[in-house]
Amino acid sequence: MDGDEMSILSFKDVWKVFPQDKTELVAVKEFNLEVEDREFICILGPSGCGKTTLLRMIAGLESISRGSIELNGKAIQGPGSDRGMVFQDFGLFPWRTVVKNIEFGLEIRGISPQEREKTSQKYVDLVGLKGFERSHPNELSGGMKQRVGIARALANDPAILLMDEPFGALDAQTRNQMQKELLRIWQETKKTIIFITHSVDEAVFLADRVVVMTSRPGTVRTIHNIDLPRPRDRASQDFINLRKTILDELEQQRQGV
């Protein structure tokens, strides 16, 4: 990143330990990372390595066993509106319309109806849902539901957007389209994004940096700077080479190398 950019999110020797009957399960161990303002980070790793646990600690939904996670210099100690979460399963309220789903967080915060309507319309337009404001989730495609999820997370104007495999349930064509849409939204909103994925192709297409975690207990194994210009061409040799490098690394982990 450029020299004048500052760290917005800081992981300092982060551990997550789950107590069990007569022992402990160490899910995350000595995780250290500095995330820059407006950076797009993708986190990859073997199944069960603690990726989602890490995201939930940033969101304040899981406690931190040891170490600290700081957002804008302040230790995270619980949930807050400065972090927006987008889930794989959409998590929409079926009885609420698109705009009422987007307005949910604003409602909880006691924002006036006039301000809620103004904000929700702004994000309806941003995510490309104009004309569907009064639709309910059962009337929307998977891609459209995830647009609502992204708009709802952004409506609170968080400092950072946390995304837990948000496109994992979508078909391949819709997933590729949503990746392009997310990049457009990211470039317009200038948000910092932490994105969990199992797809190496998705990570290389989206990220400024790809963080590869070790098997459990999860920690940082390697960090890959993705210096390819956007929009990225999946068929280019540079893209293919980067994808192969990361795939080989994951395969080595699977084999215990």
Side-chain angles (χ1 to χ4, degrees):
M1 306 298 290
D2 295 337
D4 60 348
E5 292 185 342
M6 59 180 290
S7 175
I8 185 174
L9 189 68
S10 180
F11 300 83
K12 299 179 179 178
D13 292 321
V14 174
W15 290 64
K16 179 59 184 180
V17 180
F18 292 100
Q20 296 187 324
D21 289 341
K22 294 183 179 180
T23 182
E24 293 179 329
L25 174 67
V26 181
V28 177
K29 175 182 178 181
E30 295 177 350
F31 190 96
N32 289 281
L33 182 68
E34 298 288 330
V35 179
E36 307 301 327
D37 189 23
R38 304 182 183 182
E39 192 173 15
F40 199 131
I41 295 284
C42 281
I43 301 180
L44 282 167
S47 294
C49 73
K51 299 184 295 296
T52 294
T53 298
L54 198 67
L55 207 69
R56 288 176 61 83
M57 286 193 287
I58 305 169
L61 301 174
E62 289 280 1
S63 62
I64 301 163
S65 300
R66 282 160 55 186
S68 68
I69 303 174
E70 295 181 358
L71 180 59
N72 286 322
K74 296 181 179 178
I76 290 172
Q77 296 179 327
S81 60
D82 52 359
R83 284 146 284 153
M85 190 89 167
V86 180
F87 303 92
Q88 179 178 343
D89 62 0
F90 313 128
L92 304 180
F93 299 113
W95 61 89
R96 282 180 168 249
T97 63
V98 166
V99 291
K100 290 302 180 183
N101 266 287
I102 294 171
E103 290 177 8
F104 178 73
L106 303 173
E107 223 175 283
I108 296 298
R109 289 169 53 204
I111 305 299
S112 71
Q114 296 84 357
E115 192 62 30
R116 293 202 307 264
E117 183 178 357
K118 179 181 174 183
T119 300
S120 64
Q121 192 58 56
K122 171 185 173 182
Y123 288 103
V124 160
D125 293 344
L126 177 70
V127 302
L129 285 173
K130 192 172 179 63
F132 294 92
E133 292 91 339
R134 308 300 165 194
S135 299
H136 287 82
N138 66 344
E139 302 172 280
L140 305 176
S141 68
M144 293 170 77
K145 288 176 185 176
Q146 201 53 288
R147 290 172 193 260
V148 179
I150 293 169
R152 180 179 58 186
L154 289 171
N156 281 312
D157 193 25
I160 190 165
L161 194 60
L162 307 172
M163 310 189 78
D164 189 9
E165 297 191 67
F167 308 144
L170 304 178
D171 64 82
Q173 185 176 355
T174 304
R175 185 170 184 156
N176 286 350
Q177 180 186 0
M178 286 303 299
Q179 290 166 4
K180 294 173 184 175
E181 281 291 288
L182 178 59
L183 287 174
R184 176 186 62 79
I185 291 165
W186 170 63
Q187 287 162 347
E188 287 191 32
T189 61
K190 299 177 172 61
K191 296 295 180 186
T192 305
I193 295 180
I194 307 293
F195 188 106
I196 303 296
T197 181
H198 276 101
S199 169
V200 175
D201 182 271
E202 183 168 66
V204 175
F205 186 77
L206 291 173
D208 292 318
R209 289 190 293 162
V210 174
V211 177
V212 179
M213 291 180 67
T214 64
S215 300
R216 190 174 66 227
T219 190
V220 176
R221 175 171 169 138
T222 51
I223 299 176
H224 298 268
N225 293 310
I226 312 298
D227 294 325
L228 304 178
R230 293 184 175 98
R232 291 175 180 161
D233 178 5
R234 286 180 160 97
S236 74
Q237 195 58 51
D238 287 340
F239 189 101
I240 292 168
N241 290 344
L242 269 169
R243 184 174 58 198
K244 184 178 186 306
T245 295
I246 298 173
L247 281 168
D248 288 349
E249 186 176 342
L250 291 169
E251 178 62 19
Q252 287 170 6
Q253 287 209 71
R254 192 183 69 80
Q255 295 177 358
V257 177

